[in-house]
Amino acid sequence: PTEYRLANLAEMHLDEVLRLNLRCFENGENYTKHTFAYLLSQPKALCFQAVTAENKMAAFVCVLVGDDGTAHITTIGVAPEHRRRGLGERLLSHLERELSHRRVRSVVLEVRVTNIAAQRLYKACDYIVVQRISGYYTDGEDAFLMIKALMD
Protein backbone atom coordinates (compact mmCIF):
# COMPACT_ATOMS: atom_id res chain seq x y z
CA PRO A 1 0.00 0.00 0.00
CA THR A 2 1.13 3.51 -0.84
CA GLU A 3 1.74 5.93 2.00
CA TYR A 4 0.89 9.57 1.60
CA ARG A 5 1.77 12.76 3.39
CA LEU A 6 -0.21 15.99 3.21
CA ALA A 7 1.63 19.19 2.38
CA ASN A 8 0.96 22.74 1.29
CA LEU A 9 0.46 23.26 -2.43
CA ALA A 10 2.38 26.34 -3.57
CA GLU A 11 3.30 28.24 -6.72
CA MET A 12 6.40 26.10 -7.16
CA HIS A 13 4.08 23.11 -7.75
CA LEU A 14 2.18 24.80 -10.59
CA ASP A 15 3.40 22.57 -13.44
CA GLU A 16 2.83 19.36 -11.48
CA VAL A 17 -0.69 20.31 -10.36
CA LEU A 18 -1.56 21.30 -13.94
CA ARG A 19 -0.49 17.88 -15.23
CA LEU A 20 -2.46 16.08 -12.52
CA ASN A 21 -5.49 18.32 -13.07
CA LEU A 22 -5.64 17.27 -16.73
CA ARG A 23 -5.67 13.63 -15.66
CA CYS A 24 -8.36 14.18 -13.02
CA PHE A 25 -10.78 16.18 -15.14
CA GLU A 26 -10.87 14.86 -18.67
CA ASN A 27 -14.33 16.31 -19.39
CA GLY A 28 -13.10 19.83 -20.09
CA GLU A 29 -13.73 21.26 -16.61
CA ASN A 30 -10.05 21.36 -15.73
CA TYR A 31 -8.57 24.66 -14.65
CA THR A 32 -6.15 26.68 -16.75
CA LYS A 33 -2.61 27.61 -15.80
CA HIS A 34 -3.85 31.15 -15.17
CA THR A 35 -6.53 29.93 -12.73
CA PHE A 36 -4.13 27.74 -10.77
CA ALA A 37 -1.51 30.51 -10.71
CA TYR A 38 -4.19 32.78 -9.23
CA LEU A 39 -5.26 30.22 -6.60
CA LEU A 40 -1.70 29.41 -5.58
CA SER A 41 -0.80 33.07 -5.11
CA GLN A 42 -3.89 34.34 -3.30
CA PRO A 43 -3.57 35.13 0.41
CA LYS A 44 -7.21 34.08 0.88
CA ALA A 45 -6.67 30.67 -0.74
CA LEU A 46 -5.60 27.47 0.96
CA CYS A 47 -4.24 24.68 -1.22
CA PHE A 48 -2.97 21.29 -0.13
CA GLN A 49 -1.61 18.19 -1.81
CA ALA A 50 -1.25 14.52 -0.99
CA VAL A 51 2.22 13.29 -1.91
CA THR A 52 3.50 9.73 -2.31
CA ALA A 53 6.68 8.40 -0.67
CA GLU A 54 8.32 8.98 -4.07
CA ASN A 55 7.38 12.68 -3.73
CA LYS A 56 4.78 12.55 -6.54
CA MET A 57 1.54 14.52 -6.21
CA ALA A 58 -1.40 12.12 -5.94
CA ALA A 59 -4.19 14.57 -5.06
CA PHE A 60 -4.90 18.24 -4.45
CA VAL A 61 -7.51 20.61 -3.06
CA CYS A 62 -7.91 24.39 -3.22
CA VAL A 63 -10.33 26.61 -1.33
CA LEU A 64 -10.98 30.34 -1.32
CA VAL A 65 -11.85 31.88 2.04
CA GLY A 66 -14.40 34.67 1.95
CA ASP A 67 -14.65 37.64 4.27
CA ASP A 68 -18.08 36.39 5.38
CA GLY A 69 -16.78 33.31 7.23
CA THR A 70 -17.53 30.95 4.34
CA ALA A 71 -14.99 29.00 2.30
CA HIS A 72 -15.56 27.75 -1.25
CA ILE A 73 -13.83 24.58 -2.40
CA THR A 74 -12.89 25.48 -5.95
CA THR A 75 -11.28 22.18 -6.94
CA ILE A 76 -10.34 18.80 -5.55
CA GLY A 77 -8.76 16.06 -7.61
CA VAL A 78 -7.29 12.62 -7.05
CA ALA A 79 -5.13 10.86 -9.63
CA PRO A 80 -7.06 7.94 -11.17
CA GLU A 81 -4.54 5.37 -9.92
CA HIS A 82 -4.81 6.71 -6.34
CA ARG A 83 -8.59 6.79 -6.05
CA ARG A 84 -10.55 4.78 -3.49
CA ARG A 85 -7.73 5.01 -0.94
CA GLY A 86 -9.22 7.68 1.31
CA LEU A 87 -7.23 10.61 -0.09
CA GLY A 88 -10.32 12.74 -0.73
CA GLU A 89 -11.47 12.26 2.86
CA ARG A 90 -7.98 13.00 4.22
CA LEU A 91 -7.65 16.19 2.18
CA LEU A 92 -11.12 17.40 3.16
CA SER A 93 -10.54 16.64 6.84
CA HIS A 94 -7.18 18.45 6.80
CA LEU A 95 -8.69 21.40 4.96
CA GLU A 96 -11.63 21.63 7.37
CA ARG A 97 -9.29 21.63 10.40
CA GLU A 98 -7.27 24.46 8.85
CA LEU A 99 -10.45 26.40 8.09
CA SER A 100 -11.74 25.91 11.65
CA HIS A 101 -8.48 27.36 13.00
CA ARG A 102 -9.20 30.41 10.86
CA ARG A 103 -12.73 30.66 12.29
CA VAL A 104 -14.42 29.76 9.01
CA ARG A 105 -17.98 28.72 9.79
CA SER A 106 -19.01 26.84 6.64
CA VAL A 107 -17.68 25.32 3.43
CA VAL A 108 -19.50 25.18 0.09
CA LEU A 109 -18.77 23.40 -3.18
CA GLU A 110 -20.40 22.51 -6.48
CA VAL A 111 -20.47 19.01 -7.93
CA ARG A 112 -21.84 17.64 -11.19
CA VAL A 113 -25.21 15.94 -10.77
CA THR A 114 -23.76 12.92 -12.63
CA ASN A 115 -20.62 12.68 -10.45
CA ILE A 116 -22.00 10.11 -8.06
CA ALA A 117 -18.57 9.09 -6.70
CA ALA A 118 -17.78 12.66 -5.64
CA GLN A 119 -21.25 13.10 -4.15
CA ARG A 120 -20.73 9.93 -2.08
CA LEU A 121 -17.42 11.32 -0.80
CA TYR A 122 -18.95 14.65 0.18
CA LYS A 123 -21.99 13.05 1.83
CA ALA A 124 -19.70 10.70 3.79
CA CYS A 125 -17.88 13.84 4.99
CA ASP A 126 -21.21 15.40 6.10
CA TYR A 127 -21.81 17.80 3.21
CA ILE A 128 -25.47 18.23 2.30
CA VAL A 129 -27.12 19.25 -0.96
CA VAL A 130 -28.88 22.58 -0.58
CA GLN A 131 -29.60 23.53 -4.18
CA ARG A 132 -29.52 22.31 -7.78
CA ILE A 133 -27.95 24.87 -10.11
CA SER A 134 -29.26 24.63 -13.65
CA GLY A 135 -26.67 24.70 -16.47
CA TYR A 136 -23.75 25.37 -14.12
CA TYR A 137 -21.07 23.66 -16.20
CA THR A 138 -19.89 24.80 -19.62
CA ASP A 139 -21.43 21.73 -21.24
CA GLY A 140 -24.82 22.65 -19.74
CA GLU A 141 -24.85 20.03 -17.00
CA ASP A 142 -26.46 20.96 -13.69
CA ALA A 143 -24.56 21.06 -10.41
CA PHE A 144 -25.52 20.42 -6.83
CA LEU A 145 -24.49 23.10 -4.35
CA MET A 146 -23.35 21.35 -1.20
CA ILE A 147 -22.52 22.85 2.19
CA LYS A 148 -21.02 21.79 5.48
CA ALA A 149 -21.11 23.71 8.74
CA LEU A 150 -17.83 23.66 10.64
CA MET A 151 -17.82 23.50 14.42
CA ASP A 152 -15.18 25.01 16.66
Side-chain angles (χ1 to χ4, degrees):
T2 305
E3 293 199 19
Y4 304 95
R5 66 178 171 80
L6 300 185
N8 287 330
L9 181 59
E11 288 178 88
M12 67 185 201
H13 305 112
L14 180 61
D15 289 338
E16 190 176 6
V17 76
L18 280 170
R19 286 191 300 274
L20 179 53
N21 179 63
L22 288 172
R23 294 179 55 231
C24 292
F25 302 101
E26 297 173 353
N27 61 7
E29 293 298 332
N30 38 23
Y31 280 173
T32 64
K33 183 175 187 174
H34 175 77
T35 302
F36 269 110
Y38 173 81
L39 287 170
L40 295 175
S41 66
Q42 280 302 302
K44 294 198 176 218
L46 292 174
C47 298
F48 300 103
Q49 62 180 319
V51 182
T52 66
E54 297 79 32
N55 215 30
K56 300 287 185 196
M57 187 183 308
F60 61 88
V61 63
C62 292
V63 63
L64 286 171
V65 180
D67 294 330
D68 62 353
T70 299
H72 181 200
I73 296 175
T74 58
T75 186
I76 181 171
V78 179
E81 68 274 16
H82 293 281
R83 291 179 181 157
R84 299 178 117 12
R85 298 182 187 183
L87 284 179
E89 292 96 329
R90 282 186 63 191
L91 280 171
L92 286 172
S93 178
H94 181 75
L95 177 69
E96 291 163 7
R97 279 193 305 277
E98 291 296 320
L99 291 171
S100 290
H101 292 320
R102 289 166 171 78
R103 301 196 185 281
V104 172
R105 294 185 308 273
S106 61
V107 184
V108 299
L109 60 86
E110 296 84 17
V111 61
R112 286 180 175 272
V113 295
T114 57
N115 192 343
I116 304 303
Q119 291 172 42
R120 269 194 220 113
L121 163 66
Y122 302 136
K123 287 177 183 175
C125 293
D126 298 323
Y127 287 77
I128 59 168
V129 173
V130 292
Q131 182 180 355
R132 184 177 182 131
I133 306 170
S134 180
Y136 180 81
Y137 291 97
T138 56
D139 64 0
E141 185 174 345
D142 293 356
F144 288 128
L145 178 65
M146 299 185 79
I147 191 167
K148 178 177 182 176
L150 300 178
M151 305 299 171
D152 290 23

